[in-house]
Amino acid sequence: MVLCAICKRSFVQMKQFKTHFTFYHPGKCYICPNMDCGRTYQLYNSFRRHYLKEHSDSSMLQQASSVQDFAIGQETSPVNNDPLHNVCSATEFQIKENNSTIQSDSKHNTPPLSDSLGQLFSSLYSNPHLPNNVLDTVYSGIHNMFTMSIRPLLPVTSSSAVAKLTTDLEMFSSTYKRHQFFESKGTLVNPEPYTVGRRFDYVKKKGKTYYQAVECIAHKIPIRDVLHKFFSLPNILHETIDAMKKLMAHDTSNSIEHYMHGSFWRQKNHGDKIVMPIFLQIDDFETLNPLGSHSGVHKLGAAYISLPCLPYYCASLLGNIFLVLLYHSTDRVEFGNRIIFQPLIDQFNDLFKHGIVFDLPDFKGTIYFELSLILGDNLGLHSVLGFVESFSSNFPCRTCKVEKKVMANQVYEDESLLRTESNYQDDLKTNNSSLTGVKEKCIWLDIENFNLFSQMGFDVMHDMHEGCAKYVMCSLLVVFVDKMKYLTIDIVNNKISSFQYGPDKKDKPVTLAMSNLRKGNIRLNAAEMSTFCKYFGVMFGDFIPRHNKYWQLYIQLMTVLDFIMSPRFVSEQIDYFKYMIADFCEMYITLFNQSLKPKFHNLLHYHSAMLRFGPLRFLSSMRYEAKHRFNKLAAKSTNNRINMTLTVARKHQLMLNDIFLKETIRSPLSFGGQAEVPVSECKQILDQMQWSDITKLYKVSWAAKCSERYQVNSVIVTAINEENIYFSKIDDIYVDGVSKISFKAKPLQTIGFDNHYHAYNVLDSLQSSHIYIDQDTMQYPFLCNCVVIGHNINLPEYHIVLSKPI
């Protein structure tokens, strides 16, 4: 006999349990019901093998195969060996022999069929690849299975149960009814349309074409409803408030590690209110082929919000970046920013003034929200903030009023030219964008407590990875291949193709074409460019002589990039960083006789921005542009191009509905195949980790936490001090099955940092002893890539590249 660990139902046969689990607990893990075990399995066969082997002896199996009746609750019912009867029993109705009545299993805390179907269709809707007609096909299959296979097997006396099943199925017979079900559960927040203007277009009616005025529609999502449902998820609000308290209690004199550590947020006085900062990111994306004949026709603009104060494990999840506005890009150009973004302005003001009232078990009170930063790429920020959108104009910078001809050689920020509220008002009165760089008054000034020049973000992704780094790396490759002959394009591409990228393999660069490089174009996206720069030193360092002046520019580029992408810094380092940027720009001008592009100029303002906003890596557009992917897939999954903003916005909200319906964001811990740890070894590990509240551990082949996937033989950082960084190679991984990860690792001997390769030089340690590491206490929880440089087989020499700057 096997017990369902979720709803506590018992079954005499494993196949009965499997039918029940598939029908009533879809998507759940199989949990061993034995109180002393509690192991979880993703696959039924793995669970079955474990249960029959560990918790069922031969006598029990023999008894289970011969028994003729089994208990359900306090009553018994005859067991029919006919497999069709088992299908009937899987519908979870209890047949009473004395009066032939059928009762629902609600007494056993089994969820009704409508809830199970709701979760099934919610999961299907959350897949952006699937169009609506696929869900209609799924429903037809379920309906036919019930009508033709299950219903005929039910007793004649079960008419009430049949009627209940039929009613539950009917609730999902159409798209409209499915949405109605989600709305009744309170988990679906529908997008709301609003008219932004009118245009004349050809409209076909009854076979005839008319030229008439049609409304231009955009869609907004109620931010209040989304945030209320999100923070009503179990423990989210409580964990977020705790995270905010820790952030505000942090001593910023030691380090600055978060936006809330920056001077801009620290100087705000909210009194006794609990105020959460909100980031707004605005960007355009192409829903169809950007190189096709219809490019631009269905180009959409999206506004997203994110909450930087969320707990670390869920702050960067794409599901926690919320779409709040969707419009056609051409409508913004034609009708202006005011009419497009006014609904957002009104919502932000409402959240700042009135907040959201929560009445939860762990929190009762009002949470207020304040728009803290507006993010986006350079063109996007200029367009929505009212600055000129041409970077070849006389005043192309939104932060200062430097002239274009001065910008070409400027390597230090001129504080006297910084834009302020006073000179901004003068520029508005001048009303000449060619003399001021200001095209129109910024509409976001209507938001309460908003300061334009203190709340504009900077985008590392476009300024560095798709800007300065591309200019520099393209010029270096041309010099090394064409001028100095250290490399050939075949060597470069062979190295790119064969190199082991370790934890960065998903962002492996593509091969390059010399014709494009000579034109100043290196065709890599931001993630690929980041990987290429990171490993360029260990890939080609052997080919380039030390102290080569061009190679020194690469080292300077990586020094700047590491500082910008570092998750923490000390305020005293900012002056050094300012001179670091100046040296980098001067080297580029001197070596290549090139004038500085506007993206180089943006770097001059980074030092002051870091003091205001904290590490700039957290303001990058990379995660927001990854969010575009789901909207693009949603648009491509349908052939309907009518009201595209509604199609994409509704699909996004259905993806969010799946999170709200299942009341879970994502498990903080996932892992691969597991094996039980012997008691003696388990005790030793628990003593080393000082885990007094854990009694059982499992050895796994891999484990993932906070988007970092650890595997056996991965290299991790075990200690960081002022003198050096120390590494270890993972031999074994242990988990408690809930949230804890520990490693058994062998230390490596760190020789030092090799500036030429821009990597750490290490050797295999001669010590055979292992160390145990708690993942939660690691100073640097990210993986490293270990690359063999030397050729000594007995004592090989490695170079370690950090996946992210320290």
Side-chain angles (χ1 to χ4, degrees), residues 355-390:
I356 301 176
V357 179
F358 292 94
D359 186 8
L360 304 174
D362 52 359
F363 180 83
K364 290 178 173 60
T366 304
I367 303 293
Y368 298 87
F369 298 87
E370 180 178 349
L371 177 62
S372 300
L373 278 180
I374 297 181
L375 306 176
D377 59 24
N378 294 307
L379 179 60
L381 284 176
H382 278 244
S383 61
V384 302
L385 296 178
F387 296 102
V388 291
E389 299 173 32
S390 172

Side-chain angles (χ1 to χ4, degrees), residues 282-300:
I282 301 173
D283 194 19
D284 293 348
F285 65 94
E286 183 65 66
T287 57
L288 302 179
N289 181 10
L291 301 178
S293 58
H294 296 279
S295 62
V297 177
H298 296 290
K299 187 177 184 180
L300 301 183

Side-chain angles (χ1 to χ4, degrees), residues 735-750:
V735 299
D736 69 341
V738 182
S739 61
K740 297 287 188 180
I741 305 178
S742 65
F743 307 111
K744 180 182 178 182
K746 187 174 182 180
L748 299 172
Q749 180 185 352
T750 304

Side-chain angles (χ1 to χ4, degrees), residues 14-134:
M14 292 295 292
K15 60 182 179 181
Q16 294 173 343
F17 165 76
K18 180 184 179 183
T19 306
H20 157 80
F21 201 91
T22 303
F23 199 74
Y24 282 94
H25 310 300
K28 302 288 187 181
C29 295
Y30 293 91
I31 305 173
C32 181
N34 191 300
M35 297 298 294
D36 297 330
C37 180
R39 295 180 63 175
T40 60
Y41 294 89
Q42 299 287 340
L43 302 177
Y44 165 74
N45 288 336
S46 301
F47 166 76
R48 180 180 179 275
R49 283 194 298 268
H50 162 77
Y51 188 81
L52 295 180
K53 179 180 178 182
E54 301 293 338
H55 306 298
S56 297
D57 54 29
S58 58
S59 61
M60 291 178 64
L61 294 175
Q62 185 176 0
Q63 179 184 3
S65 63
S66 61
V67 71
Q68 294 299 316
D69 50 14
F70 62 95
I72 302 180
Q74 299 296 325
E75 303 178 19
T76 62
S77 53
V79 174
N80 191 331
N81 288 327
D82 185 354
L84 295 180
H85 181 84
N86 294 332
V87 175
C88 178
S89 66
T91 61
E92 303 240 351
F93 293 108
Q94 181 178 336
I95 303 176
K96 291 187 177 181
E97 217 172 22
N98 51 0
N99 56 9
S100 298
T101 59
I102 298 177
Q103 300 178 355
S104 171
D105 254 338
S106 59
K107 296 179 181 179
H108 304 288
N109 297 323
T110 303
L113 178 62
S114 59
D115 287 353
S116 298
L117 288 175
Q119 291 202 6
L120 171 63
F121 281 103
S122 174
S123 299
L124 294 174
Y125 273 122
S126 67
N127 188 333
H129 295 274
L130 297 181
N132 287 339
N133 59 2
V134 172

Side-chain angles (χ1 to χ4, degrees), residues 337-349:
N337 291 324
R338 169 68 63 182
I339 195 166
I340 294 291
F341 297 114
Q342 188 61 47
L344 266 186
I345 295 173
D346 295 339
Q347 291 191 75
F348 284 132
N349 283 332

Side-chain angles (χ1 to χ4, degrees), residues 493-517:
N493 286 330
N494 288 338
K495 202 71 173 178
I496 289 174
S497 300
S498 61
F499 190 79
Q500 299 299 316
Y501 294 93
D504 298 297
K505 60 184 178 182
K506 63 181 181 299
D507 297 322
K508 175 182 176 180
V510 298
T511 55
L512 307 174
M514 200 62 211
S515 57
N516 291 329
L517 294 175

